[in-house]
Amino acid sequence: SASKVLVFDSTCIDRISENNRISAMIVDAIREDRVEVFYQPIYSTEHKLYTSAEALVRIREKDGKLIMPGVFIPVAEKTGLIIELGKVVFRKACIFLKENNLIEKGIKYLEINLSAVQCVKEELAEQYIGIMEELKIDPKTINLEITESAALSSKEILLKNMNRLIEYGVEFSLDDFGTGYSNLNY
C-alpha cells in the first residue's frame, strides 16, 4: 500500500493557528455577549419607504473593534460554531423586532441569513419556532434568507426544515440567486 506524507509548512501552520484564534474569539464573543446585530434597512421603490431590514452579524472585540463577518463566518461554518452563532443572531433579531415596535413603524419583516450548515440541522425549525413562541413573534415578520449553495446540500433536511417553518408562517427568500447553482423548478 502506498504511504501518504503530509507536509505542514509555515503557511499551513499559520492558517491553522489563525483559524484556532478566530474559533476561540467566536466562542468568547458568544459567551460574553459580544455578538452584535446591525440592521440594514431595505427601501421599497414601489411603496417609497423602508419596508424591511436585513440582520447583519458582527463580533465586537474586547478592545471595541468590530470584526466583519468575512473574517469569522467561514471559520464558524467549518467548525460548526455557526449553529450557536445563528441562534444568537436569530434571538437578538427577534428581540430587536419586538422591543422596537418595528411593525408599527412600517417595517414588515426582518431578513435573517441561514448558512448551508444551519439549513441541514434537523433541529433548526423547532429551535427557531421555539424562540418565536417564547418571544411571541409573528412568524410573518421573519424572512429567512438561504443561499443557493445552502439549497444544494442535503436537500431532504433543508426541505423538511423549510416546510415546517413555512407551515408555521415564516417566509423564505433565496440569496445570491443566479450564481449558477439553482434549479428553478426545484
Side-chain angles (χ1 to χ4, degrees), residues 1 18 37 40 55 58 82 85 101 115-117 127-128 149 175:
S1 78
E18 179 65 2
V37 183
Q40 178 178 328
R58 306 288 185 264
I82 194 71
L85 186 62
N101 300 317
S115 78
V117 177
Q127 286 176 346
Y128 280 31
S149 58
D175 195 13

Side-chain angles (χ1 to χ4, degrees), residues 91 94-95 98 127-137 168:
R91 175 177 291 281
C94 287
I95 290 169
K98 183 176 184 166
Q127 286 176 346
Y128 280 31
I129 289 169
I131 291 168
M132 287 183 281
E133 287 180 349
E134 173 194 337
L135 297 170
K136 296 176 179 42
I137 298 295
Y168 187 71

Side-chain angles (χ1 to χ4, degrees), residues 68-85:
M68 302 305 274
V71 172
F72 62 86
I73 292 293
V75 174
E77 288 182 330
K78 257 188 260 179
T79 61
L81 289 168
I82 194 71
I83 303 301
E84 190 59 33
L85 186 62

Side-chain angles (χ1 to χ4, degrees), residues 92-109:
K92 284 181 178 258
C94 287
I95 290 169
F96 182 80
L97 182 68
K98 183 176 184 166
E99 288 182 351
N100 291 282
N101 300 317
L102 294 186
I103 304 309
E104 293 172 13
K105 295 175 181 166
I107 301 296
K108 293 180 175 31
Y109 60 91

Side-chain angles (χ1 to χ4, degrees), residues 16-73:
I16 291 168
S17 295
E18 179 65 2
N19 283 349
N20 288 342
R21 185 190 71 76
I22 293 169
S23 292
M25 177 189 68
I26 296 166
V27 169
D28 287 347
I30 292 169
R31 186 178 54 239
E32 297 168 8
D33 194 26
R34 289 186 288 105
V35 174
E36 296 185 20
V37 183
F38 291 75
Y39 300 91
Q40 178 178 328
I42 298 172
Y43 186 79
S44 166
T45 54
E46 179 186 348
H47 298 101
K48 305 215 181 321
L49 50 93
Y50 293 100
T51 56
S52 62
E54 182 174 4
L56 304 170
V57 64
R58 306 288 185 264
I59 288 179
R60 182 143 335 248
E61 289 267 36
K62 290 179 183 178
D63 65 5
K65 178 182 166 196
L66 276 180
I67 306 299
M68 302 305 274
V71 172
F72 62 86
I73 292 293

Side-chain angles (χ1 to χ4, degrees), residues 2 8 39 87-88 103 115 119 129-130 132 139 154 157 179 181 184:
F8 287 95
Y39 300 91
K87 282 193 292 189
V88 168
I103 304 309
S115 78
C119 288
I129 289 169
M132 287 183 281
S154 201
I157 296 171
T179 55
Y181 298 109
L184 198 53

Side-chain angles (χ1 to χ4, degrees), residues 79-182:
T79 61
L81 289 168
I82 194 71
I83 303 301
E84 190 59 33
L85 186 62
K87 282 193 292 189
V88 168
V89 170
F90 187 77
R91 175 177 291 281
K92 284 181 178 258
C94 287
I95 290 169
F96 182 80
L97 182 68
K98 183 176 184 166
E99 288 182 351
N100 291 282
N101 300 317
L102 294 186
I103 304 309
E104 293 172 13
K105 295 175 181 166
I107 301 296
K108 293 180 175 31
Y109 60 91
L110 285 182
E111 290 183 3
I112 304 166
N113 293 311
L114 286 180
S115 78
V117 177
Q118 290 171 280
C119 288
V120 297
K121 289 297 174 189
E122 297 260 0
E123 61 277 2
L124 174 82
E126 294 312 316
Q127 286 176 346
Y128 280 31
I129 289 169
I131 291 168
M132 287 183 281
E133 287 180 349
E134 173 194 337
L135 297 170
K136 296 176 179 42
I137 298 295
D138 180 350
K140 289 179 180 57
T141 62
I142 301 294
N143 180 290
L144 296 175
E145 200 171 87
I146 58 172
T147 61
E148 282 189 85
S149 58
L152 286 177
S153 61
S154 201
K155 289 181 181 179
E156 190 176 311
I157 296 171
L158 168 68
L159 286 175
K160 183 178 170 189
N161 278 322
M162 284 180 71
N163 284 330
R164 176 69 179 105
L165 287 160
I166 289 167
E167 285 170 12
Y168 187 71
V170 173
E171 294 191 353
F172 279 82
S173 61
L174 190 62
D175 195 13
D176 300 333
F177 186 75
T179 55
Y181 298 109
S182 68

